[in-house]
């Protein structure tokens, strides 16, 4: 196995997780956040309006210089959109950027034309233009929305927000929503423009940041009432960073993954890991005394870093009191027709990247060697094809069960995301997995062999890609044709 060195010069950046920095006085000055901004303007004909545009955000703290960002409705993160399960959702995107854009409703089993994938399901929305999205959200849970055009740039600059689909019937806890991002900024708060789109990132672990924000703030203080039980919804919107968190003081119970209910179980240390685009829903209990504080920590291999502070206060309890264990959320995804024994099996072999063994791949219908691929910035491939979308990975008949056997023959983990469906891991490294955990994004580590299976019940062209966005842009992208 030969390994490659890249032609572009190495950029020296604090890529290691222990190099996170925070605004100097962040702890004292950060405002309390209890909920994220939740108001979205609505037109007279019933469209919620998301305007993509340029603004600034105090990512390093209120008294530090603001960072130029791209945002929906002028805030980072964009507003929380709350809809009811089964509701007809109408959203108007207004593009006030100077680049074409689109919105993808990540994890929603949506009608294909509304999936927001430029070049596959819609044309990019030009500057000054609008696009109307209309869909129903069949599954309750924690989802998110984000740009799906030049995502390696537009997502890094801040174009995302949380999308919550409310259960019709579930215990009503107070929601605490945490949107986690990492940013690569200069010390003066400006965006690190120089490394935007850098080949080095594309061929390694992606654009990893050096500042971490929770709901657009460094180390925010989050007020809770002692004695209350809350629902914590967490999404990792970072371009490429895998995040492990420690919130042991809150005694978390896992109740959902990527929106889908799981049998509630206690999370142990090391269990709370979110790949890019993944979500978890937790039931947490505020047990500490009023006046105490406890951290939410980002855990790296060397140390833990506080990324938010939970502040326990005295107050009236409005949510169900602590009792164990929390009840399970209602399962809403139909599983009828899923038939693993009859599944159509498709192989997906991942190659490429630094320290990989890719020496050629197909691009634009031609076989290119590594040097040519580096030049074209297509340094990853699925089944020997470096991100071409002219042909699908496979064509599937609606109603068929599909099993995709993924082999990660690269030196990096990948967060594989399927549009329009939810899959379950049925085998990992040749061991079959009995529990059916439905997800839309799952990590596949180096040298792993992981089998995803799903019922292809949603017709259309569905992207299947690595959600480490630089890997996607660099070739880790294909699609499934459900007819
Ligand atoms: Cu979260 Cu193809 O996207
Ligand atoms: Cu990847």
């Amino acid at each position: 196995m030969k390994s490659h060195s890249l032609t572009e010069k190495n950029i020296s950046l604090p890529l290691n997780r222990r190099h996170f920095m925070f605004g100097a006085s962040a702890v004292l000055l950060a405002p309390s956040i209890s909920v994220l901004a939740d108001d979205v303007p609505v037109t007279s004909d019933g469209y919620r309006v998301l305007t993509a545009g340029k603004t600034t955000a105090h990512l390093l703290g209120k008294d530090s210089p603001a960072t130029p960002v791209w945002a929906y409705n002028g805030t980072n993160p964009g507003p929380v959109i709350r809809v009811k399960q089964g509701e007809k959702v109408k959203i108007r995107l207004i593009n006030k950027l100077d680049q074409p854009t689109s919105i993808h409703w990540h994890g929603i089993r949506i009608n294909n034309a509304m999936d927001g994938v430029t070049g596959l399901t819609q044309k990019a929305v030009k500057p000054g233009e609008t696009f109307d999205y209309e869909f129903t959200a069949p599954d309750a849970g924690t989802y998110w929305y984000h740009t799906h055009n030049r995502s390696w740039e537009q997502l890094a600059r801040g174009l995302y927000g949380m999308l919550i689909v409310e259960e019709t019937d579930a215990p009503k806890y107070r929601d605490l929503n945490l949107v986690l991002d990492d940013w690569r900024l200069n010390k003066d708060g400006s965006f690190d423009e120089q490394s935007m789109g850098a080949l080095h990132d594309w061929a390694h672990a992606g654009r990893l940041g050096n500042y971490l924000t929770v709901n657009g703030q460094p180390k925010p203080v989050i007020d809770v009432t002692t004695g209350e039980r809350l629902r914590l919804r967490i999404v990792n919107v970072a371009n490429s960073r895998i995040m492990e968190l420690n919130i042991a003081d809150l005694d978390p119970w896992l109740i959902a993954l990527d929106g889908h209910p799981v049998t509630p179980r206690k999370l142990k240390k090391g269990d709370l890991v979110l790949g890019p685009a993944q979500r978890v829903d937790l039931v947490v209990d505020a047990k500490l005394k009023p006046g105490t504080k406890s951290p939410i920590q980002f855990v790296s291999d060397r140390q833990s870093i506080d990324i938010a502070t939970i502040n326990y206060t005295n107050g009236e309890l409005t949510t169900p009191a602590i009792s164990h264990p929390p009840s399970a959320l209602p399962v809403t995804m139909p599983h009828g027709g899923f038939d693993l024994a009859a599944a159509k099996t498709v192989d997906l072999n991942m190659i490429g990247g630094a320290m990989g063994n890719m020496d050629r791949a197909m691009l634009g219908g031609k076989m290119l060697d590594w040097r040519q691929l580096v030049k074209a910035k297509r340094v990853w491939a699925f089944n020997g094809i470096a991100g071409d979308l002219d042909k699908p990975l496979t064509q599937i008949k609606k109603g068929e069960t599909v099993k995709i056997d993924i082999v990660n023959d690269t030196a990096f983990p990948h967060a594989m995301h399927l549009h329009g469906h939810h899959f379950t891991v049925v085998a990992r490294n040749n061991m079959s997995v009995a529990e059916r955990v439905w997800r839309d994004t799952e990590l596949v580590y180096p040298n792993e062999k992981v089998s995803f299976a799903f019922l292809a019940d949603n017709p259309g062209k569905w992207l299947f890609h690595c959600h480490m966005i630089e890997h996607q842009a660099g070739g880790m992208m294909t699609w499934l044709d459900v007819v």
Side-chain angles (χ1 to χ4, degrees), residues 254 256-258 260-263 265 333 335 422-426 433-442 452-453:
L254 179 71
L257 289 167
D258 290 355
H260 287 284
V262 297
T263 306
R265 65 178 170 91
M333 178 152 142
H335 298 99
H422 297 273
F423 57 80
T424 177
V425 170
V426 294
V433 176
E435 196 189 356
R436 294 282 157 260
V437 177
W438 299 94
R439 303 204 70 138
D440 56 61
T441 309
E442 179 65 310
F452 292 4

Side-chain angles (χ1 to χ4, degrees), residues 380 412-416 466-468 471-472 476:
W380 304 91
F412 294 87
H414 301 292
M416 289 302 294
C466 178
H467 220 290
M468 274 115 180
H471 294 173
Q472 175 196 357
M476 301 196 94

Side-chain angles (χ1 to χ4, degrees), residues 221-233:
V221 177
I222 300 165
D223 289 336
V224 300
T225 304
T226 295
E228 76 175 326
R229 173 164 267 193
L230 302 118
R231 179 169 180 172
L232 199 52
R233 301 176 186 260

Side-chain angles (χ1 to χ4, degrees), residues 70 175 177 184 234 277 351:
W70 297 3
D175 278 0
N177 306 326
R184 193 183 291 175
I234 310 177
I351 54 165

Side-chain angles (χ1 to χ4, degrees), residues 104-107 115 117 144-148 151 155 277 417-419 440-441 463-467 469 472:
H104 169 57
W105 314 95
H106 183 114
D115 199 36
V117 179
W144 66 299
Y145 61 94
H146 63 81
T147 172
H148 216 296
S151 311
L155 192 65
H417 169 49
L418 176 62
H419 284 222
D440 56 61
T441 309
L463 210 63
F464 186 42
H465 64 91
C466 178
H467 220 290
I469 300 296
Q472 175 196 357

